[in-house]
Amino acid sequence: MTKSAVPQPTLSDEADLRIAMVGLGLRGNLLDVAHRPGRGGIVVGLCDLDEDLLRYRADQLGERPWTTTRFADVLAADDVDAVIIATPDDAHEEMVIAALRAGKSTFAEKPLAITIEGCDRILAAAADVAADGVRLYVGHNLRHYNAIGTMKRLIDDGAIGEVQAVWCRHFVGHGGDFYFKDWHAQRRHVTSLLLQKGAHDIDVIHWLAGGVSRLVQGFGRLAVYGRVADRHDGAKRDDWFDQDMHWPPLSNTGLHPEIDVEDLSMIQMQLSNGVMASYQECHFTPDYWRNYTVIGTDGRLENFGDVEGVVRVWNRRGGYSERGDIEVPFLPGQGGHGGADEALMAEFVQFARHGGATQTSPIGAREAVAAGCAGAESLRSGGTPVAVRAPDPDVVRRLTSG
């Protein structure tokens, strides 16, 4: 398809935000929450290189959108107010900048980019168009998880006093299936899985702690999946994920022919406000969830379960206590990722239309990538600590002044 040049969008309070989505793979499920005719957003266009996937996703919507394999068509479309970029990570930088410069408010799937410099170029482009009402939003849906929100509220209410330490363990139980069979397995596409997976958790660590990483040290290696001999030849397979088949990890099949990312990583972080943090990521555990421990001057809290479960608080002295002193249950919302995807997209639509404060932060997204990049650099240099530079203060001011 071809479209004429794009005018600046003018949206009334009643108008649906007209959205085009670029990249329809695993995050194609965002269409379910983006396409809400009469309730804020309507998907009018789809873009992907895979024509079969284009047809499949278009049929899913019911109200058939236009489709194209050319990103340039999306940029030129005069019926598009906003763009969702959910392509492979290494394509984010170029596409997000192009969309912003074309006058499209842009939802960028995390990680924002695969280098610190790439993130900074995106932020600079976003700052240049912010005054025109063109806005950048980053898909850090973990900030909308009920588990994370419960911990954040408890911390803000003073349940554990002043935060001093945050520890996160991420048990990536489906890691072999999800991240070692396609482009995620190569550094040139992701830099490190400390970005693809860890950017979520690092962002949450920063959010809960109230600071950002300024010194990072890491260790890690390709411990298991480099030893799996069964590799694919590029052909699509229907059995790429099977809950029962691909266990134990060394029995997995059809891995990417080239793997140069780590399946086991650990980083330590010194934050800007003095808080100390650690993040551990393992891609060959039997269970799949993430656990945070936050320790303050008056106690500590910890989540058990991340979609449904309980947050427990310990703030009285004593020995081992399984249930703690306070127990706050949380339940999943409706939709993907325990309702977080729906909340995320609703916030994006509102932000694209009207601006204002958001629970997510493009500056925070950059800081998560920066810590992940520093961690990867450190672990690949034998654990040498790596300093993380701050973003350009003028760019930060222009992005946050409105």
Side-chain angles (χ1 to χ4, degrees), residues 221-271:
R221 64 190 179 106
L222 181 59
V224 171
Y225 293 117
R227 296 154 55 190
V228 175
D230 191 302
R231 305 297 178 94
H232 67 68
D233 59 3
K236 291 183 178 180
R237 293 177 51 157
D238 294 332
D239 65 344
W240 68 272
F241 173 70
D242 189 296
Q243 179 77 24
D244 300 315
M245 275 181 54
H246 302 150
W247 186 262
L250 287 172
S251 71
N252 214 318
T253 59
L255 299 194
H256 197 280
E258 298 178 25
I259 299 175
D260 63 358
V261 295
E262 296 79 13
D263 54 18
L264 180 63
S265 302
M266 306 176 184
I267 62 174
Q268 312 293 327
M269 296 161 280
Q270 182 174 299
L271 274 55

Side-chain angles (χ1 to χ4, degrees), residues 144-378:
H144 290 281
Y145 268 55
N146 287 337
I148 306 302
T150 299
M151 288 188 283
K152 176 67 171 169
R153 286 190 295 275
L154 285 165
I155 291 167
D156 290 347
D157 289 344
I160 60 170
E162 182 184 346
V163 173
Q164 298 296 314
V166 185
W167 305 336
C168 176
R169 301 176 298 164
H170 193 170
F171 310 105
V172 192
H174 302 334
D177 305 86
F178 286 179
Y179 304 106
F180 290 86
K181 296 185 177 182
D182 63 5
W183 54 269
H184 294 91
Q186 296 180 288
R187 294 182 189 182
R188 64 189 180 94
H189 292 303
V190 300
T191 296
S192 167
L193 294 177
L194 286 169
L195 276 65
Q196 169 55 224
K197 290 301 288 177
H200 267 318
D201 297 296
I202 295 169
D203 178 61
V204 168
I205 287 170
H206 290 168
W207 195 43
L208 297 180
V212 293
S213 296
R214 286 293 170 256
L215 187 66
V216 181
Q217 181 184 36
F219 293 94
R221 64 190 179 106
L222 181 59
V224 171
Y225 293 117
R227 296 154 55 190
V228 175
D230 191 302
R231 305 297 178 94
H232 67 68
D233 59 3
K236 291 183 178 180
R237 293 177 51 157
D238 294 332
D239 65 344
W240 68 272
F241 173 70
D242 189 296
Q243 179 77 24
D244 300 315
M245 275 181 54
H246 302 150
W247 186 262
L250 287 172
S251 71
N252 214 318
T253 59
L255 299 194
H256 197 280
E258 298 178 25
I259 299 175
D260 63 358
V261 295
E262 296 79 13
D263 54 18
L264 180 63
S265 302
M266 306 176 184
I267 62 174
Q268 312 293 327
M269 296 161 280
Q270 182 174 299
L271 274 55
S272 54
N273 59 354
V275 173
M276 308 297 289
S278 67
Y279 172 64
Q280 296 86 42
E281 176 182 296
C282 181
H283 285 263
F284 47 88
T285 59
D287 47 344
Y288 196 172
W289 67 295
R290 41 175 54 93
N291 169 261
Y292 295 88
T293 296
V294 186
I295 304 173
T297 53
D298 298 332
R300 73 177 180 92
L301 59 77
E302 188 172 350
N303 68 296
F304 296 87
D306 53 11
V307 174
E308 179 177 357
V310 64
V311 174
R312 293 182 178 130
V313 179
W314 290 260
N315 51 23
R316 291 187 296 179
R317 297 182 73 177
Y320 172 73
S321 171
E322 178 182 359
R323 304 184 71 88
D325 302 304
I326 302 171
E327 192 171 81
V328 183
F330 56 86
L331 295 171
Q334 296 295 316
H337 290 96
D341 284 349
E342 180 147 349
L344 186 79
M345 191 56 61
E347 184 173 74
F348 167 63
V349 169
Q350 176 68 18
F351 179 59
R353 293 172 63 179
H354 304 296
T358 58
Q359 193 152 291
T360 64
S361 162
I363 307 299
R366 180 268 189 198
E367 295 287 19
V369 168
C373 286
E377 180 182 343
S378 176

